[in-house]
Amino acid sequence: MSYEPSPRHPYHPPHDPSPVYDTTYPWQPPVRAPEPPPRRRTPEPALGHHSDLRILRGAYRWQRRTTTLTALGYFTLFLILSAFAPSFMTSELADGLPTGLVLALAQIPVTWLAIGLYEHTARRYVDPIAARIRKQSEVDAKREAAR
């Protein structure tokens, strides 16, 4: 048993008995929507903003690299000497004190040196740039609020 649709009766969508008429008459011009008020153009940010942030990122990156390489560089040197120069590390400096122990204890002052270097570069290079950017953003925010 197969179903075959009847070709004599094609499908027709239902008829909408209420047509939609235009609210205007043919002799009247079409009603137009009122023009929106012109938008105020937002001012472009100052050109220096992006370069200031780029300078700040560069100063901060230099600061991180310098202090990280100071601390990790010394520690890596200590590990390399321990692995490849055991005779040097076991040699005595004075009164039976091995060189390896002196270098291990020197890690604490080197870490303090890295912290001091980090604070020095922050005060000297990074903080003035950040303060200048902060001050400029406050001026820009006050200027925006006044509009």
Side-chain angles (χ1 to χ4, degrees), residues 2 12 14 23 27-28 69 81 103-105 112 123 127 133:
S2 69
H12 294 288
T23 56
W27 58 85
Q28 290 180 332
L69 289 177
L81 287 174
L103 292 177
L105 293 175
W112 290 340
R123 258 186 263 112
D127 290 347
I133 292 172

Side-chain angles (χ1 to χ4, degrees), residues 103-115:
L103 292 177
L105 293 175
Q107 183 70 39
I108 295 170
V110 168
T111 304
W112 290 340
L113 174 71
I115 292 169

Side-chain angles (χ1 to χ4, degrees), residues 61-101:
R61 189 179 306 123
W62 183 84
Q63 177 191 24
R64 285 188 325 235
R65 286 179 185 163
T66 303
T67 56
T68 302
L69 289 177
T70 301
L72 288 180
Y74 182 80
F75 184 69
T76 304
L77 176 69
F78 177 76
L79 289 179
I80 290 172
L81 287 174
S82 297
F84 296 109
S87 61
F88 173 73
M89 296 297 274
T90 57
S91 65
E92 294 182 4
L93 287 178
D95 295 332
L97 196 62
T99 307
L101 182 62

